[in-house]
Amino acid sequence: EALVFRLQKAYRENDERNLQERKSWNTNPIFLERRNTKRFIDQLLGQLQQVEASNYSADVLSRQSNRAMRAEKVSDVEAIDQLDSLEGSLSSLPSFDSSLAFTAECPICCAPNSVLALTFLQVDPAEVEKNTNDFSLNFPLACGSLDHNASTLSSQISCLSCSKYLLKVKRETTLREKAAITLPLCGLNTNFQVWTNCLAVGLANGIKTPNLVQLFISILDHYP
């Protein structure tokens, strides 16, 4: 009982001390200055947010996170045009460094030592934009097994030329699946823009968020 009494007394004294300290804040010039500064910053940030939002279209405002709202958007046409330029640069190289790309014989045209490519399938834009919400941006490696990512990759793998031809002419894979974009398996560091554009079209409805490479790795890890 003596211990309980001492603990209760200590609690009351501590509570009274905290109460007096909080009351003193209202007259403490340092605290008042910090509080006023914080209020001013909050007001300024609110005004900046209103100005920023006024410049956004309804499409941008409907995105699922602030980071997605600020991200650049690339169209599938732009991504395909970039693939054209990439294929031209690879074919013009006298000796292509295969250590930077996944090369093999194409199962469609049988061309040897070809840069192979994966194909992303068309998915409901509302579903793939889930990859731009705060959870996916913060934890991309945990999102590869989600339902909307399980159906984004085709089992077709072929050379870049065949994949791109089927995409541009048929908008389909050899399995009659609706194709969205093809991703050449070339060096990431030397072709980072190609990777981010293709992944944005395939995984995020064209929105170039910073989580796409990690998300792609997670999808491959959970691929059936």
Side-chain angles (χ1 to χ4, degrees), residues 99-212:
S99 65
L100 298 178
F102 183 55
T103 59
E105 179 180 296
C106 175
I108 298 178
C109 68
C110 298
N113 198 31
S114 300
V115 178
L116 300 184
L118 297 175
T119 299
F120 288 91
L121 303 179
Q122 294 181 19
V123 183
D124 183 359
E127 290 295 312
V128 291
E129 281 204 22
K130 291 179 181 178
N131 291 327
T132 67
N133 61 29
D134 285 322
F135 179 80
S136 294
L137 288 167
N138 294 333
F139 307 104
L141 295 177
C143 297
S145 60
L146 299 180
D147 290 342
H148 62 274
N149 288 324
S151 57
T152 56
L153 271 181
S154 170
S155 58
Q156 168 187 291
I157 183 167
S158 60
C159 71
L160 176 57
S161 297
C162 290
S163 296
K164 189 161 58 65
Y165 172 80
L166 290 168
L167 176 68
K168 294 177 69 174
V169 177
K170 300 289 187 180
R171 281 287 176 177
E172 290 182 343
T173 69
T174 53
L175 304 174
R176 298 293 188 268
E177 302 161 312
K178 298 296 183 183
I181 194 67
T182 186
L183 174 67
L185 300 178
C186 52
L188 174 61
N189 290 335
T190 53
N191 300 285
F192 187 75
Q193 191 69 22
V194 174
W195 273 74
T196 53
N197 284 351
C198 292
L199 291 177
V201 173
L203 297 176
N205 195 30
I207 303 172
K208 295 173 65 174
T209 49
N211 63 328
L212 297 175

Side-chain angles (χ1 to χ4, degrees), residues 40-55:
F40 173 75
I41 293 174
D42 289 342
Q43 291 174 358
L44 183 61
L45 289 175
Q47 292 174 1
L48 288 174
Q49 186 178 19
Q50 291 177 359
V51 171
E52 185 179 34
S54 66
N55 295 323

